[in-house]
Amino acid sequence: MGAGNQSSVSKFILLGLTSDRDLQALLFFLFLAVYIFTLLGNSLIPVIVWGNPHLHTPMYFFISQLSFLDLAFSTAISPKMLVDLLTGKKIISFYGCITQIYFFSSCASTEFFLLAVMAFDRYVAICDPLLYTLTMDKSLCVRLVVGSFIGGFLHALMHASLFYRLDFCGPNVINHFVCDIPVLLKLSCTDISINDLVRFVFSALVVATSLVVIFVSYSYIAATILRIGNKAGRRRAASTCISHFTCTFLFYGSGFLMEMRPHSRSSEEQNKVIAVIPSLVVPALNPLIYTLRNNEAKKALRKLMYQILHF
C-alpha cells in the first residue's frame, strides 16, 4: 500500500447511516435534494457578488469565499455518500479514504479560520468604521483568505500523511458514512498514540485560535453596539453581524455536540446522525442565511432572477 505501510487491508466498508434499503432510498432523494440546493445556493452567491459592483466589499468577498468553501466541503462527502445509498456498495479504497479525509478536513479547518477572519472584519466595520475601508483593503482581504486556506490545507495534510505510518490488518468496517478519523484510527493494528497526540494538539490549536478571535471580536462589537445612543442604530449594527453569528453557531455547535458525546457504541450511531449537520445541512443553510438576512443580497438576487427570466 506504499512505503512504510504493510497493511493487509486495501479497502474499507462504510456502514453508512442505515442498512434499511427502503430508508436508504428515501435518504438518497433527500440528500440529493440537499446537495443540489447546496450547489445552486453556493454557486449563486459568488455570481451575485462578482456581478454587482456595489457588493465588491470585504464582507461580501469573505461571504463568496465561504460559499466556495461550503461547496467544496459538501462535494468532498455528498457524491460518494449518494452513490453508496443508490448502489448499496459502500466500499472505499485506502487511498480513497485518505483522500476524502484530506479534503473534508482541509475544508473544515479552513472554515474555522475563515469564520474568525469574518468576525474580525465585522469588528473593524462596527468598532472602527471610519478606518474600515483603509484597514480592510483588498490586499489584506486576499492575504487573510489565502492564509486561511493555507492553514487549513496544511493542517489536513499533516493528519492525512500520518495515516501512512499505520498498518490496517482487519477488521475493515467503518461505522460511518464518511472516512471519519477517530473511527478509522480504531481499526489500525499499529500504535496510534502519535496520531492521537498530533490530532488533539493541532485540532485544539485551530479551534482555540479561531474561537479566541471570534470571542474577542464579538466582545468589542457588543460593547460598541451597547454604546450606540438609539435603537435604530443598534439594530442596524447588530443586523450586519447576525448572519455570521448564526453560521458560526451552527458550525461550532454541531462540532462540539459530536465531540462532547461519550465514546460508546450507541454514541457512534448518534454521532453519524449529528455529523450530517456540519457535513451536509450547514453548507446548504449558509447561502439561505446570508441572503434572507441581507437586503442588499436579496436585491441583487431579485435583479439576477429578473435578468434570467427576461433573457
Side-chain angles (χ1 to χ4, degrees):
M1 293 186 60
N5 190 308
Q6 303 299 320
S7 302
S8 59
V9 173
S10 60
K11 295 181 179 180
F12 295 97
I13 300 172
L14 296 167
L15 292 184
L17 287 170
T18 179
S19 58
D20 187 318
R21 290 297 299 165
D22 293 333
L23 185 54
Q24 285 181 14
L26 177 63
L27 290 176
F28 170 79
F29 289 107
L30 175 62
F31 291 143
L32 178 62
V34 171
Y35 184 52
I36 292 174
F37 185 83
T38 301
L39 291 177
L40 292 175
N42 286 292
S43 299
L44 198 58
I45 284 184
V47 171
I48 292 173
V49 172
W50 297 336
N52 292 270
H54 66 282
L55 296 183
H56 292 178
T57 63
M59 183 180 76
Y60 288 105
F61 172 69
F62 294 134
I63 290 174
S64 66
Q65 300 306 308
L66 181 64
S67 293
F68 170 77
L69 197 58
D70 283 334
L71 185 60
F73 195 1
S74 183
T75 301
I77 297 172
S78 294
K80 171 60 178 170
M81 183 182 184
L82 290 171
V83 170
D84 290 347
L85 288 170
L86 183 63
T87 63
K89 298 178 180 179
K90 305 173 184 179
I91 298 174
I92 188 169
S93 68
F94 173 81
Y95 294 112
C97 205
I98 301 305
T99 300
Q100 190 179 63
I101 284 175
Y102 173 73
F103 279 107
F104 82 72
S105 294
S106 61
C107 289
S109 301
T110 303
E111 188 147 343
F112 279 116
F113 291 128
L114 189 58
L115 288 172
V117 167
M118 294 173 76
F120 174 72
D121 170 70
R122 292 298 83 207
Y123 156 74
V124 178
I126 292 174
C127 299
D128 203 1
L130 296 179
L131 295 177
Y132 177 65
T133 304
L134 183 63
T135 303
M136 301 300 294
D137 60 9
K138 185 176 181 180
S139 175
L140 177 61
C141 292
V142 171
R143 290 200 303 271
L144 288 172
V145 169
V146 171
S148 297
F149 275 89
I150 290 175
F153 278 41
L154 288 177
H155 181 246
L157 181 62
M158 178 176 54
H159 289 306
S161 61
L162 282 174
F163 274 98
Y164 287 95
R165 62 175 292 275
L166 303 179
D167 295 326
F168 294 89
C169 312
N172 66 336
V173 178
I174 299 175
N175 187 18
H176 215 293
F177 59 84
V178 68
C179 287
D180 186 49
I181 293 178
V183 179
L184 189 59
L185 286 176
K186 292 179 181 179
L187 300 180
S188 175
C189 50
T190 310
D191 181 16
I192 62 171
S193 57
I194 294 178
N195 295 67
D196 276 336
L197 179 62
V198 171
R199 175 174 172 266
F200 174 78
V201 171
F202 285 92
S203 295
L205 186 62
V206 168
V207 175
T209 301
S210 57
L211 266 181
V212 167
V213 173
I214 292 171
F215 179 78
V216 172
S217 297
Y218 272 100
S219 295
Y220 279 102
I221 288 171
T224 301
I225 290 175
L226 290 175
R227 286 198 299 267
I228 297 176
N230 58 84
K231 288 185 178 181
R234 289 197 295 269
R235 191 179 300 111
R236 282 196 301 270
S239 66
T240 66
C241 302
I242 192 66
S243 295
H244 172 263
F245 184 81
T246 302
C247 292
T248 302
F249 178 79
L250 286 173
F251 187 73
Y252 277 88
S254 56
F256 283 131
L257 189 59
M258 285 191 296
E259 292 298 325
M260 294 300 290
R261 298 194 67 86
H263 296 286
S264 64
R265 178 67 181 180
S266 61
S267 68
E268 286 184 3
E269 298 297 325
Q270 295 168 341
N271 282 344
K272 289 192 296 184
V273 177
I274 296 172
V276 171
I277 300 174
S279 304
L280 305 176
V281 177
V282 172
L285 287 179
N286 281 350
L288 201 60
I289 292 170
Y290 275 106
T291 53
L292 289 181
R293 295 291 309 180
N294 192 295
N295 290 327
E296 289 182 322
K298 285 190 288 187
K299 290 178 182 177
L301 179 60
R302 284 195 294 267
K303 180 181 178 182
L304 178 64
M305 295 305 297
Y306 178 83
Q307 292 173 341
I308 292 174
L309 292 174
H310 292 80
F311 178 72

